[in-house]
Amino acid sequence: MGVALALVSGGCAIVPTSGSPRAAEEDNSRDTLSQPYVRMIAEPPKSDASPSDIVRGFQSAMASFEDSSLKIARLYLTPDSAQKWNPWEETRIYEGKVSEKAAPDPKDRDATVTLKGNAVATIDPEGRYTPTSGEVVQTFTLIKVDTRWRILSPPNARLLSADDLKRAYRQIDLYYPLATRATGLVADRVWVPIDPSSGVPETRVRRLLGGPTRSIRDAASSAFPSSTELNQITVEGDTVVVDFSPAVESVSSDRIDAMEAQLAWTLRDLVTGRTIEIRVNGEPFRGSGLRFKPTDYSQFDPNVLPAKPQAYYMQGGKLHRVKDNGGGDLVAGAAGEQSTKFSYPAVSGEFPARVAALVNGNGVYVADMAGGSQWQRWIAGKSLTPPSWDRYGYVWSAERADNETRVWQAAGGQARRVIIPADLATGRVISLRVSRDGARIAMKTDSGLGAEVKIGTVVRVGQQARIDNVQTLVGPDSGQDIVDIAWQNAAELLVLSKGKGGQQLAKWSVMEGMAASDTVIRLDPQTKIDSIVGAPDHVLADGDGEVRTYSVEKRAWTALEKDGATTPVYPLG
């Protein structure tokens, strides 16, 4: 006989404690290193459990992270299935509700139970989260082992409810330096279950030592020696002591700063106001010790920009700097002094800054933001996209020439062609934006089916660069016409689009491939936006001859500059 039910947690004891995965009610004012959480303690199957009880109990036991090897969950399986079952291939997240049919006849020797629900996401062994959708039906075959029901055919996956995910998992950003550079960090977002025996800080650091995910593995690498293991994390007064195995001492001297920065940034919200000390099996690092404050590594910020970044805009054919008290001044140099016609300016992150722009219809030109500077052509071409700077002083642009797409990066007036995948070369890149950390690139493309947004990884070998791991973030079938894209921070991209209901602005997680519903800004039909630019916690846009800024608190746009102001700019990105 068949039994149908949806995924639901049951058969576990729920115990509040300070050692387990997820806070019942998070209190940000509390010490996050010792925050209480809710535990799910797995219980073995009862001798008189029905097939539906067995499947419920199995799903609940899978949701217990107290049982790291899932020994209790395996008790719900036949002996042979318990040995073969591999739940580590994938984690599948569902949501649904219970719907049962009649129980099987006591004389039956087999039964089926069907779990029905809506798919939410999958999480791979690295912790990479991928949204999914649609109805999911998972059928279990059960047989009697002696007189007790057991599951014969479990899927090689860990099945969790959406509530299990919220309780037991944390979304965390790990930080790694670029493989070819010791300064600056790259963010790598993953979802990890919190180890109840150690808590949040140790879970983060152990995953950090596991290295970057496949999406950026060719672009970034850990400064920690590969065989480094974490012993424990303790607190002594205002010092967080992170104790590693002896392998950590083999780090090269020129990578110690990067190693400290990785630790400081990965633990940053947990160690606010504290000092971090690295020890080795309880002893001082290399005999002399290694202590540092997380605030000492602000220069490694993957977002690069300060809390209040300088903004710019075009007016009267020249570039202006936004003043603190409102209005703007012309910038120094060719972009603010000369009458040379240029468009789509981009500002570098160095000081003094440089301006890159399309000039004379024959290339990307660069001028210092200093009195008396002149435009110099860095990238030649007649069909180039607006330029984009990365934190390392390279300006990027793409062109369509001879029926193929080419991507260029240039520094010091010398352009080099970027290696790109064949399918990207056959399509058209309409615009591109390099992330401020220099590790990713966002592109608005069209391969003949309509505009879409793609994300790729920037891999650097010496002065040569290539774009790998290109994935579609927003497809041409989204029901929205892509208007513009802009990086808000190292992990999130702003996408301005237009559909039947008008324009909307959404913030997409480029590593998770999704836009949270609470980040979508639906624009008033009377508000027309032509382009956007972002920075952490800041959004600027232009339309109808004015530049506007968006207030998250008021959920409204405010005019920053009128009288024909266009093309807002933040440095980099």
Side-chain angles (χ1 to χ4, degrees), residues 357-401:
L358 299 181
V359 180
N360 298 328
N362 66 356
V364 172
Y365 286 68
V366 175
D368 293 339
M369 203 179 288
S373 66
Q374 301 292 318
W375 291 109
Q376 296 181 342
R377 189 166 68 173
W378 280 26
I379 304 174
K382 296 186 179 298
S383 300
L384 291 161
T385 61
S388 174
W389 288 95
D390 68 29
R391 74 181 301 167
Y392 300 107
Y394 288 91
V395 64
W396 294 66
S397 183
E399 69 169 336
R400 186 71 179 169

Side-chain angles (χ1 to χ4, degrees), residues 249-270:
E249 292 188 317
S250 65
V251 62
S252 60
S253 297
D254 62 345
R255 299 280 281 179
I256 288 179
D257 279 354
M259 183 179 75
E260 292 174 331
Q262 281 186 256
L263 199 57
W265 276 87
T266 299
L267 290 175
R268 58 179 178 163
D269 59 316
L270 303 179

Side-chain angles (χ1 to χ4, degrees), residues 142-191:
L142 295 91
I143 63 173
K144 281 187 176 178
V145 177
D146 296 326
T147 60
R148 300 174 180 180
W149 291 106
R150 292 295 182 265
I151 297 169
L152 180 64
S153 55
N156 282 328
R158 194 169 192 167
L159 308 175
L160 301 179
S161 71
D163 286 340
D164 293 331
L165 177 72
K166 294 176 183 177
R167 173 187 56 79
Y169 272 72
R170 284 292 176 87
Q171 178 198 69
I172 61 174
D173 286 345
L174 308 171
Y175 294 90
Y176 299 96
L178 285 183
T180 57
R181 296 177 183 269
T183 58
L185 294 175
V186 176
D188 193 12
R189 180 166 292 173
V190 297
W191 287 69

Side-chain angles (χ1 to χ4, degrees), residues 43 86 168 183 327 332 344 353 433 558:
E43 296 180 348
N86 179 12
T183 58
Y344 300 108
R433 291 287 181 267
T558 302

Side-chain angles (χ1 to χ4, degrees), residues 463-476:
Q463 294 182 321
Q464 181 64 61
R466 72 176 189 270
I467 299 174
D468 279 351
N469 194 39
V470 176
Q471 305 289 329
T472 299
L473 186 68
V474 186

Side-chain angles (χ1 to χ4, degrees), residues 92-295:
R92 301 176 191 169
I93 313 299
Y94 304 91
E95 59 183 6
K97 59 183 180 180
V98 175
S99 175
E100 275 195 73
K101 292 183 179 179
D105 189 287
K107 297 179 181 179
D108 290 343
R109 301 297 300 175
D110 60 68
T112 58
V113 173
T114 303
L115 298 181
K116 293 183 178 180
N118 296 316
V120 174
T122 62
I123 300 176
D124 71 12
E126 292 186 316
R128 297 173 64 190
Y129 181 104
T130 303
T132 57
S133 61
E135 183 182 13
V136 175
V137 178
Q138 179 68 57
T139 300
F140 291 87
T141 300
L142 295 91
I143 63 173
K144 281 187 176 178
V145 177
D146 296 326
T147 60
R148 300 174 180 180
W149 291 106
R150 292 295 182 265
I151 297 169
L152 180 64
S153 55
N156 282 328
R158 194 169 192 167
L159 308 175
L160 301 179
S161 71
D163 286 340
D164 293 331
L165 177 72
K166 294 176 183 177
R167 173 187 56 79
Y169 272 72
R170 284 292 176 87
Q171 178 198 69
I172 61 174
D173 286 345
L174 308 171
Y175 294 90
Y176 299 96
L178 285 183
T180 57
R181 296 177 183 269
T183 58
L185 294 175
V186 176
D188 193 12
R189 180 166 292 173
V190 297
W191 287 69
V192 296
I194 304 303
D195 183 348
S197 65
S198 55
V200 177
E202 289 189 17
T203 299
R204 286 194 189 184
V205 176
R206 292 188 200 282
R207 179 58 191 85
L208 177 71
L209 295 176
T213 62
R214 292 190 305 275
S215 64
I216 63 163
R217 190 171 296 154
D218 291 338
S221 63
S222 180
F224 283 89
S226 59
S227 55
T228 303
E229 296 181 358
L230 175 67
N231 294 326
Q232 64 178 351
I233 298 178
T234 56
V235 179
E236 297 179 3
D238 64 351
T239 300
V240 177
V241 179
V242 187
D243 191 64
F244 292 104
S245 65
V248 73
E249 292 188 317
S250 65
V251 62
S252 60
S253 297
D254 62 345
R255 299 280 281 179
I256 288 179
D257 279 354
M259 183 179 75
E260 292 174 331
Q262 281 186 256
L263 199 57
W265 276 87
T266 299
L267 290 175
R268 58 179 178 163
D269 59 316
L270 303 179
V271 295
T272 302
R274 289 185 163 109
T275 296
I276 296 176
E277 180 180 354
I278 292 178
R279 290 183 190 168
V280 182
N281 284 353
E283 300 297 325
F285 180 88
R286 292 181 180 175
S288 58
L290 194 62
R291 291 171 56 90
F292 55 94
K293 295 182 178 179
T295 51

